[in-house]
Amino acid sequence: RKDWLPMYKIEPHLHTNHVSKCAWLPADALAGLYHAAGYHAVAVTDHYNMDTWDYLGIDPKDPADVMPRFLDGFHRMQEAAARFGLTVYLGAELRFYENDNDYLLYGFDPALLAHPHEIMSMGSVAFSDLIRGTDSVLIQAHPFRAGCIPLAPCFLDGIEIYNASPRHLHHGHNDRAQALAASQGPAFIRTAGSDCHRTEDVGRSGICSAKLPADSAAFAAMLRAGDFSCMLPDA
């Protein structure tokens, strides 16, 4: 499709096995695979949830070592991607204690997430209020996947309208996500992503832009401006 062929391809939803318990691939493998798939940039959105803290052996109530450990996948990805000329953006996929919803966060200061127990305890609405007016972008991932509850759009900057994970396509209800996004105004952000955890997930979706954001802040600004298109499958 024509809209798959702009100048730059970006993956906004990717997990490393350095941080995310459910991810299978290390940074070196991910960088090589995404380069081979023709991508120019990736956003590392490692999971920020209880599974992650258990996996890393971190007490979320004791933040002394949280961010260096949480950022390990991002930093490893930066190092590996540099060999291929890939740009890497910092993201996170947050899950609060309140339910099994997941939220993609971009354009944030890492200090924001330095106290996991406090962040996860506050819930999605309070967190939305916390970041309102900042440069952060909050996107609900796969809002209609089994076990998830769509958050009221007023608390979000946007939603993931297409999640290409092959293990969730049949119950992810991307069609419902697209319908919800269509009911909102043009400022409501719509993203698509591979939700990459394994080799077979690489490059299944993403976003395309005529300009390549230079860093994480510029990537979030591009999302807010809507200067991109989603890589959606043929109808």
Side-chain angles (χ1 to χ4, degrees):
R1 289 178 51 160
K2 270 186 191 177
D3 56 356
W4 279 53
L5 301 172
M7 191 174 299
Y8 298 108
K9 293 170 66 174
I10 303 170
E11 173 61 74
H13 193 167
L14 172 152
H15 304 279
T16 76
N17 71 355
H18 308 293
V19 176
S20 295
K21 182 179 181 179
C22 52
W24 291 15
L25 299 171
D28 285 346
L30 287 164
L33 288 166
Y34 268 92
H35 172 70
Y39 283 69
H40 302 87
V42 300
V44 175
T45 54
D46 275 322
H47 288 289
Y48 183 98
N49 59 24
M50 278 305 304
D51 283 343
T52 292
W53 314 131
D54 289 343
Y55 178 53
L56 297 179
I58 290 175
D59 180 354
K61 296 182 181 179
D62 181 11
D65 195 35
V66 166
M67 290 318 290
R69 299 287 300 281
F70 180 73
L71 295 173
D72 186 42
F74 168 66
H75 290 311
R76 287 175 183 260
M77 195 70 190
Q78 282 186 311
E79 182 178 352
R83 298 196 292 272
F84 299 99
L86 281 171
T87 301
V88 181
Y89 309 124
L90 175 61
E93 184 169 346
L94 280 63
R95 179 177 291 182
F96 303 98
Y97 291 143
E98 62 191 3
N99 54 36
D100 288 335
N101 286 356
D102 293 305
Y103 302 91
L104 299 167
L105 182 67
Y106 307 102
F108 60 95
D109 182 338
L112 173 70
L113 302 182
H115 300 273
H117 180 65
E118 293 178 15
I119 292 293
M120 294 186 299
S121 295
M122 70 174 54
S124 53
V125 172
F127 184 79
S128 173
D129 289 341
L130 176 68
I131 64 170
R132 194 175 301 276
T134 72
D135 293 330
S136 299
V137 171
L138 186 66
I139 305 288
Q140 185 169 3
H142 44 73
F144 289 93
R145 181 180 290 181
C148 296
I149 304 167
L151 186 65
C154 61
F155 298 114
L156 298 165
D157 294 304
I159 61 172
E160 188 177 50
I161 63 167
Y162 185 73
N163 181 287
S165 171
R167 293 168 299 284
H168 297 284
L169 277 177
H170 297 300
H171 60 82
H173 302 294
N174 287 314
D175 55 337
R176 296 184 188 176
Q178 291 167 35
L180 174 60
S183 72
Q184 304 303 306
F188 195 67
I189 301 169
R190 300 145 170 82
T191 67
S194 301
D195 196 357
C196 182
H197 289 73
R198 309 178 188 179
T199 303
E200 63 266 28
D201 305 342
V202 170
R204 292 178 59 91
S205 188
I207 62 176
C208 304
S209 176
K211 296 181 180 179
L212 184 66
D215 54 29
S216 301
F219 178 63
M222 184 196 75
L223 293 177
R224 284 197 176 278
D227 293 335
F228 65 92
S229 60
C230 292
M231 294 166 57
L232 303 177
D234 291 320

